[in-house]
Amino acid sequence: MSDDWDVVGYVISSRYRVAVLGRLADSPATPSGIADDEDLAVTHVSRALRGLRERELVELLVPEERRKGRVYGITEEGRETWSLIQTQDLLD
């Protein structure tokens, strides 16, 4: 359980990570699609995706080699983390 809180703390310490994970909880999307939907710069979205991916909260749904049209989705771990964030009312 302490690992869960570690991950939750990591996500909620960045509004960009919160926005990206929350957006992907709805449906898979490209970085530019997330940026448009959440009104964020693509650079912030890309950085958030990289960190979330390292913690296995999101995954790339297309081949790694692909540079354009990279679609990301939330993992089961990501969904559980997002659910915990919402049920504990941890968002401002």
Side-chain angles (χ1 to χ4, degrees):
M1 187 65 182
S2 67
D3 279 357
D4 291 347
W5 289 109
D6 210 34
V7 172
V8 165
Y10 172 76
V11 173
I12 65 174
S13 67
S14 161
R15 70 182 185 97
Y16 302 113
R17 289 190 287 261
V18 167
V20 169
L21 194 63
R23 170 58 190 81
L24 290 177
D26 291 338
S27 64
T30 61
S32 59
I34 297 167
D36 288 347
D37 292 346
E38 298 298 321
D39 198 24
L40 299 170
V42 175
T43 52
H44 291 303
V45 171
S46 295
R47 194 173 309 129
L49 281 168
R50 194 164 37 250
L52 293 168
R53 201 171 163 205
E54 285 168 3
R55 284 169 175 77
E56 299 181 355
L57 300 176
V58 302
E59 61 189 341
L60 184 60
L61 301 177
V62 298
E64 191 67 53
E65 314 67 69
R66 195 163 192 182
R67 286 287 156 237
K68 285 248 180 267
R70 289 167 72 94
V71 178
Y72 289 85
I74 194 168
T75 63
E76 190 53 44
E77 176 86 14
R79 200 165 291 292
E80 287 169 15
T81 300
W82 184 246
S83 176
L84 189 57
I85 289 168
Q86 290 188 306
T87 57
Q88 298 297 318
D89 202 20
L90 298 172
L91 302 175
D92 295 333

